[in-house]
Amino acid sequence: WRRRSPQSWRSPSSGGAGSGTPSGTVPVLFCFSVFARPSSVPHGAGYELLIQKFLSLYGDQIDMHRKFVVQLFAEEWGQYVDLPKGFAVSERCKVRLVPLQIQLTTLGNLTPSSTVFFCCDMQERFRPAIKYFGDIISVGQRLLQGARILGIPVIVTEQYPKGLGSTVQEIDLTGVKLVLPKTKFSMVLPEVEAALAEIPGVRSVVLFGVETHVCIQQTALELVGRGVEVHIVADATSSRSMMDRMFALERLARTGIIVTTSEAVLLQLVADKDHPKFKEIQNLIKASAPESGLLSKV
């Protein structure tokens, strides 16, 4: 392949005598991934119009939850450069949309008004199979108590309850927003998405339950793909196999998902000794979470 100069590149929308380009527009080649599509934009179009054009051309292929940068092909350098500040299209050019591959730091701040708790498949039939199930039930209980104290919405799922039973009796579901049966491993179901849409300003999900390497992992990845920050509560999350649990948590942490503990979550949500609910939360955590075999296997 040989790069041509802008003068030698032509397309049906390149303007000039007999072309279909409307007066006052400039031909632009829009490149994304392996694709390159000629089109045109109004003379003087800036960044926002270029983004709109990319969406109109490639909208079904662009992941809207990712961050992008627009670059301009610079003849002077023979390669693409970041779009200059205040850039406006004045002559034929070639631009491309590039997804950012850089892993951005996730700060993981939690506030009650922007947080939802997800309790995943804490069901009776899992009791004999899941490692340290009694311990994660105990921690799950205090997370749901904390959610009630702080007014945080809770969404609960049950994996095929007809065969696997309902949520264990020890976990009090009083006041939860939604209890939903499912067959899909991920909790991200249409009903869950609809419930989230009813809660204004949701930014973070605190996720716990079973199994770490299946339903928890798939839920976390789907939520992150939708732009939601995910906190997985390690002392309330387990699997049948500790190896599966360990490698799932390691994988999820590498993707920027926050692996944390119940006490850290609850104290982050109150944030201040003078918070009106601090004493109630303090009473919940006076007894430390069980120091089970989960600790050495994270």
Side-chain angles (χ1 to χ4, degrees), residues 243-275:
M243 180 173 284
D244 284 333
R245 177 181 182 273
M246 176 182 71
F247 282 104
L249 291 177
E250 287 185 359
R251 174 193 173 181
L252 292 167
R254 284 197 298 270
T255 67
I257 289 165
I258 297 153
V259 180
T260 184
T261 65
S262 56
E263 184 168 321
V265 164
L266 292 171
L267 290 177
Q268 194 172 10
L269 285 165
V270 293
D272 192 321
K273 181 188 77 65
D274 293 329
H275 189 287

Side-chain angles (χ1 to χ4, degrees), residues 73-135:
F73 189 83
E75 287 291 335
E76 178 184 1
W77 302 105
Q79 66 177 35
Y80 285 94
V81 297
D82 293 346
L83 202 67
K85 187 175 180 180
F87 173 80
V89 177
S90 59
E91 58 185 2
R92 183 187 326 194
C93 61
K94 181 163 59 172
V95 293
R96 72 175 179 181
L97 189 66
V98 183
L100 289 176
Q101 303 295 332
I102 300 169
Q103 183 65 51
L104 301 178
T105 301
T106 303
L107 296 178
N109 293 322
L110 286 173
T111 58
S113 62
S114 62
T115 299
V116 177
F117 281 18
F118 275 28
C119 176
C120 183
D121 305 350
M122 300 278 274
Q123 292 158 255
E124 191 59 43
R125 285 287 293 277
F126 291 129
R127 191 185 296 268
I130 299 296
K131 292 291 197 298
Y132 306 104
F133 194 59
D135 291 341

Side-chain angles (χ1 to χ4, degrees), residues 36-251:
R37 297 179 186 171
S39 188
S40 61
V41 297
H43 187 279
Y47 176 84
E48 293 299 331
L49 278 177
L50 290 174
I51 289 291
Q52 289 176 25
K53 180 62 76 169
F54 273 113
L55 290 175
S56 70
L57 292 171
Y58 300 109
D60 58 337
Q61 298 163 55
I62 294 175
D63 180 355
M64 295 304 296
H65 299 289
R66 298 191 66 175
K67 294 184 181 296
F68 294 87
V69 62
V70 178
Q71 295 185 323
L72 172 72
F73 189 83
E75 287 291 335
E76 178 184 1
W77 302 105
Q79 66 177 35
Y80 285 94
V81 297
D82 293 346
L83 202 67
K85 187 175 180 180
F87 173 80
V89 177
S90 59
E91 58 185 2
R92 183 187 326 194
C93 61
K94 181 163 59 172
V95 293
R96 72 175 179 181
L97 189 66
V98 183
L100 289 176
Q101 303 295 332
I102 300 169
Q103 183 65 51
L104 301 178
T105 301
T106 303
L107 296 178
N109 293 322
L110 286 173
T111 58
S113 62
S114 62
T115 299
V116 177
F117 281 18
F118 275 28
C119 176
C120 183
D121 305 350
M122 300 278 274
Q123 292 158 255
E124 191 59 43
R125 285 287 293 277
F126 291 129
R127 191 185 296 268
I130 299 296
K131 292 291 197 298
Y132 306 104
F133 194 59
D135 291 341
I136 69 169
I137 288 174
S138 172
V139 177
Q141 282 177 302
R142 71 175 184 172
L143 285 168
L144 294 190
Q145 285 179 274
R148 282 192 291 275
I149 291 168
L150 298 172
I152 295 171
V154 177
I155 292 173
V156 178
T157 58
E158 297 173 340
Q159 180 73 18
Y160 187 55
K162 182 178 178 181
L164 297 173
S166 300
T167 301
V168 296
Q169 290 185 348
E170 297 98 311
I171 291 185
D172 183 0
L173 299 183
T174 301
V176 304
K177 183 174 181 64
L178 183 67
V179 180
L180 190 68
K182 67 181 178 70
T183 56
K184 180 182 177 182
F185 296 137
S186 169
M187 291 179 69
V188 184
L189 304 168
E191 298 90 337
V192 171
E193 293 191 272
L196 289 177
E198 293 173 1
I199 307 168
V202 172
R203 188 181 68 238
S204 308
V205 164
V206 172
L207 173 62
F208 57 96
V210 299
E211 289 187 70
T212 316
H213 65 295
V214 188
C215 297
I216 295 294
Q217 177 170 280
Q218 293 183 32
T219 299
L221 294 174
E222 278 208 58
L223 287 170
V224 167
R226 286 162 167 74
V228 178
E229 182 182 270
V230 178
H231 298 242
I232 293 178
V233 187
D235 52 338
T237 303
S238 190
S239 295
R240 288 167 296 145
S241 157
M242 298 306 288
M243 180 173 284
D244 284 333
R245 177 181 182 273
M246 176 182 71
F247 282 104
L249 291 177
E250 287 185 359
R251 174 193 173 181

